[in-house]
Amino acid sequence: MPPTRPTSSATAGVAGEQTKILDLGYPFSLLCEVTFRCPLQCPYCSNPLAFARSLRDELETKEWIRVLEEAAGLGVLQANFSGGEPLLRKDLPELIGAAHALGLYTNLSTGGTLLTSELAGKLKEAGLAGFQLSIQDSRPESAEWIAGMRGSFVKKAEAARVAREAGFALGINAVLHRQNLDRIEEIIALAEEWGAERLELANAQYNGWALENRRWLLPTRAQVEQASNVAAAAQARLKGKMDLLFVIPDYYATYPKACLHGWGRAFLTVSADGQALPCQAAREITSLSFPNVREKSLRDIWFDSEAFNRFRGVGWLPEPCRSCPRRDIDFGGCRCQAFLLTQDAGATDPACILSPHHHRIEEALAEAETRETVAWSYRNPIESKRLSEAEPRPTPPAVAKPKPTG
């Protein structure tokens, strides 16, 4: 029998939910990471640690429009614009307009600190359909500490007002972690106060900057169980008023989720420098070489590239996944998480309780129960250069070692 992980009814219920797996044969959604530049410095950002290397190599307007045209021709139905901070692109209304003209549903994910009424009007006129604002916490002081930007909280509040006045249905995304999870009830109340129609309570994914800062971000079991109960109560109370999504962290689930409906099955990311990826974190898998849209068409990349085919479907699965009845549900879990924790992208996701590497998750959870002064690395070009010039990052330490005394 495999080892069992203690769970509460609150966490077990959320962890057990399954969405219908998309299997269309072509990409359904395109994520356009139009820039790695950002005025915020969130320590859990999903951008690569080495993003500073690509700051001067962003795709130009005409290149992005070609990508959008190829995506529409491939069958993509929606284009999501993110970053970094996509509002730093002066051509963003033009790009959204091009996507809209191609019949794509368009969505914007932004920190909001650069939004003005004039720009919101241009985005609306261009055809932007969905608007999602990220927040860091419910209280100004804490939110600005996490974001690494003074004055950002009031700017986000203003962005929420401006977005609503422009006619957008306001969506809010809050990344949850140890430093803000105890205020989940306040975060929900803030979303209500700001007039959100949808709230995504997105627990941090431990890749990129979040993995670098995991010892200060990974919540405790008690925090997760309490947050699950609060979210469930809020979902019931707000039904029909505000859509609320909450999913427990991978580290606390019994089985992994089907990351983006499976590798290379429904989602496609094009990063600021043109790399095409099955998911936005995939470039951290250094054992794979990912194609670039400057050199290959999206059609060639999707159907023929080695990287997109490497973990597609279930034929590649190792044991215990190969003989597991869940193989067509979670496809072995997250490839990025497997690589970052085991240095083998083909391993069973350690988040799975059946994984031979599951001890790495248990060790991380033990680390989460410790208390240390927060000393995380903020996501900025200086830290990016420092970290990318350092030795290759090893698997994160299991448990924080106490400093020697005497």
Side-chain angles (χ1 to χ4, degrees), residues 208-224:
W209 293 82
L211 182 60
E212 180 68 26
N213 293 309
R214 189 183 68 184
R215 69 167 65 244
W216 300 289
L217 292 173
L218 186 63
T220 65
R221 184 177 303 281
Q223 282 184 301
V224 172

Side-chain angles (χ1 to χ4, degrees), residues 171-244:
I172 288 180
N173 174 67
V175 176
L176 301 176
H177 46 82
R178 189 192 308 174
Q179 307 302 328
N180 66 7
L181 195 55
D182 292 336
R183 290 181 292 281
I184 185 174
E185 198 162 6
E186 292 183 16
I187 291 172
I188 295 170
L190 183 69
E192 291 182 78
E193 178 186 335
W194 286 5
E197 296 186 22
R198 178 179 173 84
L199 172 61
E200 293 187 16
L201 298 169
N203 279 280
Q205 287 293 118
Y206 293 97
N207 49 50
W209 293 82
L211 182 60
E212 180 68 26
N213 293 309
R214 189 183 68 184
R215 69 167 65 244
W216 300 289
L217 292 173
L218 186 63
T220 65
R221 184 177 303 281
Q223 282 184 301
V224 172
E225 292 184 350
Q226 172 63 17
S228 297
N229 291 328
V230 170
Q235 285 172 329
R237 177 175 61 83
L238 296 170
K239 187 175 182 180
K241 299 177 182 178
M242 181 173 73
D243 291 333
L244 191 153

Side-chain angles (χ1 to χ4, degrees), residues 99 107 203 229 251 383 394:
N107 185 72
N203 279 280
N229 291 328
Y251 282 41
E383 282 295 283

Side-chain angles (χ1 to χ4, degrees), residues 4-120:
T4 58
R5 181 188 303 181
T7 58
S8 70
S9 58
T11 58
V14 180
E17 292 180 356
Q18 291 294 333
T19 56
K20 185 177 180 180
I21 299 298
L22 293 174
D23 187 12
L24 306 174
Y26 56 85
F28 165 79
S29 179
L30 170 68
L31 174 61
C32 304
E33 291 185 318
V34 293
T35 184
F36 287 141
R37 293 171 289 148
C38 188
L40 304 182
Q41 305 182 70
C42 304
Y44 48 73
C45 182
S46 62
N47 286 166
L49 289 176
F51 76 87
R53 296 175 179 173
S54 304
L55 288 176
R56 298 181 183 275
D57 196 28
E58 292 181 357
L59 294 179
E60 298 178 357
T61 305
K62 62 182 181 181
E63 292 176 306
W64 273 116
I65 291 177
R66 176 177 57 80
V67 167
L68 292 167
E69 291 171 345
E70 291 181 1
L74 194 55
V76 167
L77 299 178
Q78 63 182 36
N80 303 295
F81 294 86
S82 74
E85 175 49 72
L87 296 184
L88 283 167
R89 293 276 308 214
K90 302 300 183 184
D91 59 355
L92 185 62
E94 182 180 354
L95 298 181
I96 289 173
H100 178 69
L102 290 164
L104 302 177
Y105 179 90
T106 55
N107 185 72
L108 175 67
S109 296
T110 173
T113 60
L114 303 177
L115 188 69
T116 63
S117 294
E118 180 183 4
L119 180 53

